[in-house]
Amino acid sequence: MRLSDLSNGEKGVICKVLGRGAFRKRITEMGFVKGQVVTVVKNAPLKSPIEYAIMGYNVSLRRSEAGMVEVLTEEEAAQLDLAGATTATIDEVLMRTAQAAGSVINVAFVGNPNTGKTSLFNQLAGAHEHVGNYSGVTVELKKAQVKLDGYTINLVDLPGTYSLTAYSPEEVYVRRYIAEEMPDVIVNVVDATNLERNLYLTTQLIDMDVKVVMALNMYDELEAHGDRLDHAALGRMLDIPMAPTVGARGRGMRELLLAIVHSYEDTGLPRPTRGAAAPPRRPAPLAATAGAPHHHIHIYYGAAVEEAIAALQLLLRSPQNSALPDRYSTRFLAIKLLEKDAVAADIVQAECANAADILATAKRRIADVEAEFKEDSETVIADAKYGFVAGALRETLRHGREDRHSRTRKIDNLVTSRALGFPIFLLLMWGMFYATFALGRYPTEWISRGVELLSRGLAAALPPSLPADLLVSGVINGAGSVLAFLPNILLLFFFISYFEDSGYMARAVFITDKLMHAIGLHGKSFIPLIMGFGCNVPAIMATRTIENRTQRRLTMLLIPFMSCSARLPVYVLLIGAFFPRHAGTVLFAVYLAGIAIAILSGLLFSKFLFKDKGQPFVMELPPYRRPSFGTLARHTWHKGGQYLRKNGLTILVASVAIWGLSTFPLQPHGERAPYEQSYLGQLGHAVQPALAPLGFDGKMSISLLTGVAAKETVVSTLGVLYRAEVEDDGSTARLEQRLRAERHPSGPHRGQPVFTPPTALACIAFILLYLPCVAAVVAIRRESGSRLIAAFTVAYTTVVAWLAAFAVQRVAAALM
């Protein structure tokens, strides 16, 4: 509860004071500190200010100021500590429970892309969020909780951002989160090997006047390059506690958490104890910067700019804007106004009664600064920030002799060259898909045999009945058909993660930007498109990193053509059945075909639907790094678990539903219905005319229909329909064998194979291109904000899939 919520006569114990530096300092000096009992004396006639009794004297606060103080009331304390209330006075219970409530620390992680921020977050929280060595991986809030020495630390991983300007959605979001949610501590994660660029964001956090702890991540790389950083001196210079960390290996985690706690409590950091032995064969722990409680500093921007800042601060602190300084640093807002920041101007318009005077003053001061420096005011302030950073590093950083960028340059000379860039990219992609099929073939066969033995054993052990048939044919054969292809999916996740974490994916963006631009897209669109190979839903969400709304929507329309991992089991099944000698090449061609269709669709859309001039290409090319096998393995395992959790229930429900539709209505003596007489057979007969020109029979038509819910259910449906039929010798045939052996039971094609290589290719083409799963359609609707775009996606992909499958079937039949 907030202090402003208490009524006259009520009392509570202060748990936490929110807000920024100046406000926190003033109110704590008045006695509003954790553990103090405060009583409401009375409200003013207009409900503000409010008079409080604390520490033996009375003091008044504005209601907005009281709203920045968290308190615990007697009733809340009794509810939280009923056992203690029986043996202690209510005041003792209040103190005890308030102390516990005040030990909750809310922490936000802020940093540039490619600093290992999310990796560090995962190490602290035990989470396994998506981590990649290119910008824009973290596209939404990720939360976790960790305990340390009686403290509960709530962690929030904010999107990666280079600054806190109004250039991109991430920057605006991070800035708004800090101002509105008021985390107790900001953990500024920086790349220790690239401090000059990373500390620019730090200067903006300093301007915001918030509590900051710096995680000097990848500190082992800085030392490996021969560089030496006096981080204790740098911490004193910036008045920011610092903790060297190695997020990929979990080094420095406790030191960072201790720095957070001491910053929260304003106690400073204890000096590291000497003589603490490190565990054998492991690096010694990295010590955090020691020192006294830090105070806030100001970055000096030069006389003209400082004079302009002071003039604007005077207006922003006007009594008519009494609530503004509680939530925003007036210095930060003044600097942003001088930088012509649109979001800052919007805040002033919404929060300040004298907004017109403030904005007019800002305009005059900008003109004065630009006239003096003969530069844009934003450039003047940026130059001052970089000058401050350069001066701080000149005092504290010593570079070694090793050129830390030499390896990256040598690799880039090869993989991004005009002659070899695209061939290397295509070779790597082909190798990824070949290995996905070739390496995954063995565990897939083992799982298939295990499922077959299990179903055969259960069929022999259980008496014939509908429940037994449901278990064997519906659950085991249906869900097991998809589970068999999990190794292929895990391998695909592993290779994509490797390219991301190594830094190569950013080079793929670099070499494909011109191609992206030709179809009306930014190079950043390549990242969501590549992510679509894993799952279309997070890929659609990843389009948030694209600033331009038109390009963002265009990218969403193309993502469904990126073959997600849910389609992979269908490809592996059909390719393994009909093209086993060229499996890897066929699989690679399938993915290339999806990319080609996406390119053609992009050209069409950009010409007729989404005409836009586009934006300049600005993207960091991070240094190459050797990904940790443990990190890759954990990430792959986690993604596999996500896949099963996300789709397992859908597959199981679909398998049972397909079994029921293929079994009922029962025959007069209780036997299951023949397929043609079952509800499923009747449904297949109804939809089959639309797909007959593609060479699909009723069973395949039904399988494609169930694939609308989730593409994996195509395999589980085929598994139920075909494995439910037992051969004469009583053995259950493997699904690939059943597909090859299936014959038309009647009609003009009676006795001829249902599946042929041309039909299999047509089926693969249709599954590659037809409408995405329901979850992806919902994501498009939510992220684009348009039902029309979601409906268009469904219609367009279905039409393209039918036409492509028809053409593939005809051409393949003629050639084969």
Side-chain angles (χ1 to χ4, degrees):
M1 181 179 287
R2 299 298 172 89
L3 183 59
S4 56
D5 297 327
L6 297 181
S7 303
N8 290 346
E10 287 188 324
K11 70 177 180 179
V13 176
I14 297 172
C15 301
K16 184 184 297 185
V17 178
L18 306 175
R20 316 166 300 93
F23 166 76
R24 286 172 59 90
K25 182 179 179 181
R26 179 170 59 84
I27 201 169
T28 52
E29 287 174 348
M30 295 167 64
F32 287 83
V33 294
K34 184 169 67 175
Q36 288 295 329
V37 178
V38 58
T39 304
V40 182
V41 178
K42 62 177 178 293
N43 282 255
L46 298 179
K47 301 297 183 182
S48 182
I50 306 171
E51 183 179 350
Y52 296 99
I54 186 172
M55 297 180 71
Y57 78 106
N58 289 9
V59 62
S60 65
L61 295 178
R62 296 193 303 265
R63 180 167 291 274
S64 62
E65 294 177 328
M68 307 286 279
V69 181
E70 289 186 1
V71 297
L72 191 72
T73 65
E74 294 177 346
E75 292 181 1
E76 291 174 327
Q79 292 173 359
L80 291 172
D81 196 352
L82 293 176
T86 61
T87 59
T89 66
I90 192 64
D91 284 345
E92 290 173 331
V93 173
L94 262 175
M95 290 295 183
R96 184 167 59 246
T97 49
Q99 186 68 32
S103 298
V104 177
I105 309 174
N106 298 316
V107 178
F109 277 63
V110 176
N112 289 184
N114 307 313
T115 59
K117 176 173 62 66
T118 302
S119 179
L120 187 66
F121 177 90
N122 291 342
Q123 285 284 356
L124 286 170
H128 304 289
E129 300 296 346
H130 185 62
V131 185
N133 192 20
Y134 60 89
S135 112
V137 178
T138 307
V139 295
E140 59 182 358
L141 241 63
K142 296 175 180 65
K143 300 182 179 181
Q145 192 177 87
V146 63
K147 305 282 188 179
L148 178 76
D149 299 341
Y151 289 89
T152 299
I153 304 175
N154 296 320
L155 307 175
V156 173
D157 184 20
L158 296 178
T161 176
Y162 289 105
S163 71
L164 298 178
T165 60
Y167 178 69
S168 73
E170 296 95 335
E171 294 169 347
V172 175
Y173 181 83
V174 171
R175 191 162 114 193
R176 184 175 294 134
Y177 183 92
I178 294 173
E180 295 178 0
E181 298 299 325
M182 292 180 287
D184 299 311
V185 179
I186 304 294
V187 173
N188 180 204
V189 183
V190 303
D191 178 356
T193 67
N194 199 356
L195 288 172
E196 188 165 5
R197 188 208 68 202
N198 280 237
L199 290 179
Y200 182 84
L201 175 60
T202 308
T203 64
Q204 295 181 315
L205 293 172
I206 290 172
D207 289 336
M208 291 191 80
D209 195 7
V210 292
K211 284 189 175 183
V212 180
V213 169
M214 185 176 293
L216 293 163
N217 205 25
M218 306 179 194
Y219 203 79
D220 57 336
E221 292 188 22
L222 177 138
E223 294 177 324
H225 296 147
D227 296 347
R228 292 293 177 266
L229 174 67
D230 186 348
H231 58 82
L234 182 61
R236 289 191 296 271
M237 199 173 295
L238 301 180
D239 285 317
I240 294 176
M242 296 189 175
T245 60
V246 183
R249 293 171 176 80
R251 294 182 60 195
M253 299 301 104
R254 179 171 174 81
E255 288 77 11
L256 177 58
L257 290 174
L258 286 173
I260 291 170
V261 169
H262 287 292
S263 178
Y264 170 70
E265 295 288 8
D266 290 315
T267 57
L269 288 177
R271 296 193 177 276
T273 57
R274 296 183 178 274
R281 298 181 181 272
R282 292 180 63 87
L286 301 174
T289 303
H294 60 281
H295 60 279
H296 186 66
I297 66 166
H298 288 323
I299 297 169
Y300 183 70
Y301 293 103
V305 176
E306 289 293 338
E307 185 180 331
I309 292 172
L312 288 170
Q313 279 190 278
L314 188 63
L315 294 172
L316 289 166
R317 290 173 179 166
S318 171
Q320 48 194 324
N321 306 326
S322 59
L324 182 72
D326 297 341
R327 295 194 296 118
Y328 297 97
S329 161
T330 55
R331 181 175 176 85
F332 177 75
L333 282 179
I335 292 169
K336 286 298 168 190
L337 289 172
L338 293 175
E339 291 178 329
K340 308 173 189 175
D341 186 276
V343 174
D346 291 341
I347 292 172
V348 169
Q349 290 277 18
E351 306 259 353
C352 299
N354 58 341
D357 192 13
I358 293 172
L359 296 178
T361 301
K363 189 174 181 179
R364 289 197 307 273
R365 293 292 183 170
I366 288 171
D368 293 342
V369 169
E370 291 180 345
E372 178 168 338
F373 288 93
K374 303 296 187 295
E375 285 275 11
D376 181 85
S377 60
E378 188 174 0
T379 303
V380 172
I381 293 173
D383 287 345
K385 287 180 181 293
Y386 277 116
F388 172 81
V389 169
L393 294 180
R394 194 160 43 243
E395 297 290 328
T396 57
L397 179 63
R398 296 291 178 267
H399 289 295
R401 295 181 179 180
E402 180 185 344
D403 183 356
R404 63 180 185 270
H405 298 298
S406 60
R407 183 182 64 175
T408 292
R409 278 196 298 267
K410 290 176 182 177
I411 299 175
D412 275 347
N413 288 338
L414 184 67
V415 301
T416 63
S417 66
R418 184 187 298 270
L420 297 176
F422 267 104
I424 289 175
F425 171 71
L426 293 175
L427 180 63
L428 290 173
M429 293 299 106
W430 176 85
M432 177 176 70
F433 294 121
Y434 179 83
T436 295
F437 195 100
L439 297 179
R441 180 179 179 180
Y442 301 103
T444 295
E445 289 181 354
W446 300 335
I447 296 174
S448 295
R449 290 173 185 170
V451 170
E452 185 177 347
L453 289 173
L454 177 61
S455 63
R456 187 183 301 174
L458 288 174
L462 298 174
S465 64
L466 281 180
D469 192 51
L470 167 62
L471 178 62
V472 174
S473 300
V475 176
I476 304 298
N477 287 340
S481 300
V482 179
L483 182 63
F485 299 104
L486 183 60
N488 302 95
I489 295 169
L490 292 177
L491 283 167
L492 183 64
F493 285 147
F494 180 86
F495 288 120
I496 291 177
S497 298
Y498 184 89
F499 289 137
E500 291 170 350
D501 294 354
S502 66
Y504 178 74
M505 199 63 80
R507 274 68 186 182
V509 174
F510 176 77
I511 64 178
T512 57
D513 177 66
K514 191 170 184 179
L515 180 61
M516 293 291 103
H517 184 70
I519 60 175
L521 294 176
H522 189 279
K524 281 187 176 181
S525 296
F526 187 78
I527 293 171
L529 292 174
I530 287 293
M531 288 179 68
F533 288 139
C535 180
N536 285 174
V537 176
I540 292 165
M541 295 171 63
T543 58
R544 298 174 189 174
T545 63
I546 304 170
E547 295 86 3
N548 185 281
R549 181 169 174 263
T550 299
Q551 293 181 355
R552 188 162 61 248
R553 288 184 164 186
L554 177 55
T555 305
M556 288 179 203
L557 287 178
L558 302 185
I559 285 174
F561 296 122
M562 300 297 104
S563 194
C564 67
S565 59
R567 296 176 170 99
L568 187 59
V570 193
Y571 301 154
V572 174
L573 171 66
L574 295 176
I575 293 172
F578 297 99
F579 310 99
R581 294 184 179 180
H582 310 286
T585 302
V586 174
L587 185 62
F588 179 53
V590 170
Y591 279 82
L592 277 186
I595 295 171
I597 295 295
I599 291 172
L600 293 175
S601 299
L603 290 171
L604 181 67
F605 295 156
S606 62
K607 186 173 180 66
F608 297 104
L609 297 180
F610 296 99
K611 298 180 180 180
D612 189 83
K613 294 181 179 179
Q615 289 182 311
F617 177 74
V618 179
M619 186 174 180
E620 179 189 3
L621 293 178
Y624 289 100
R625 292 188 170 94
R626 184 182 295 108
S628 163
F629 180 80
T631 300
L632 291 175
R634 287 194 302 269
H635 174 57
T636 302
W637 182 257
H638 175 66
K639 282 296 180 182
Q642 275 189 328
Y643 172 84
L644 290 177
R645 288 192 298 271
K646 175 175 175 283
N647 302 303
L649 182 60
T650 301
I651 295 167
L652 182 61
V653 170
S655 298
V656 172
I658 296 302
W659 173 87
L661 291 172
S662 65
T663 301
F664 295 96
L666 295 177
Q667 297 298 294
H669 297 290
E671 301 94 349
R672 60 180 300 162
Y675 171 73
E676 293 295 334
Q677 298 177 20
S678 68
Y679 294 131
L680 193 65
Q682 297 172 39
L683 182 60
H685 183 73
V687 302
Q688 200 265 340
L691 299 176
L694 310 181
F696 303 160
D697 68 342
K699 293 179 183 178
M700 178 51 71
S701 300
I702 285 296
S703 300
L704 293 173
L705 190 61
T706 62
V708 172
K711 294 299 180 286
E712 304 92 331
T713 59
V714 173
V715 174
S716 62
T717 302
L718 290 172
V720 173
L721 293 179
Y722 286 112
R723 291 199 183 194
E725 301 178 12
V726 180
E727 293 185 344
D728 295 336
D729 62 358
S731 65
T732 304
R734 295 183 61 196
L735 189 51
E736 288 182 11
Q737 296 169 347
R738 290 293 301 175
L739 293 180
R740 288 194 296 265
E742 185 72 4
R743 296 292 187 270
H744 288 284
S746 60
H749 302 291
R750 181 179 180 180
Q752 296 181 16
V754 170
F755 284 95
T756 62
T759 306
L761 285 177
C763 185
I764 290 172
F766 193 88
I767 290 167
L768 168 68
L769 302 173
Y770 87 120
L771 72 154
C773 66
V774 173
V777 175
V778 171
I780 291 173
R781 160 68 182 89
R782 183 175 62 247
E783 297 297 325
S784 68
S786 170
R787 290 188 180 90
L788 181 61
I789 289 180
F792 176 79
T793 300
V794 172
Y796 179 78
T797 54
T798 303
V799 170
V800 169
W802 196 97
L803 294 174
F806 182 83
V808 166
Q809 202 277 339
R810 292 297 189 271
V811 172
L815 294 176
M816 294 181 181

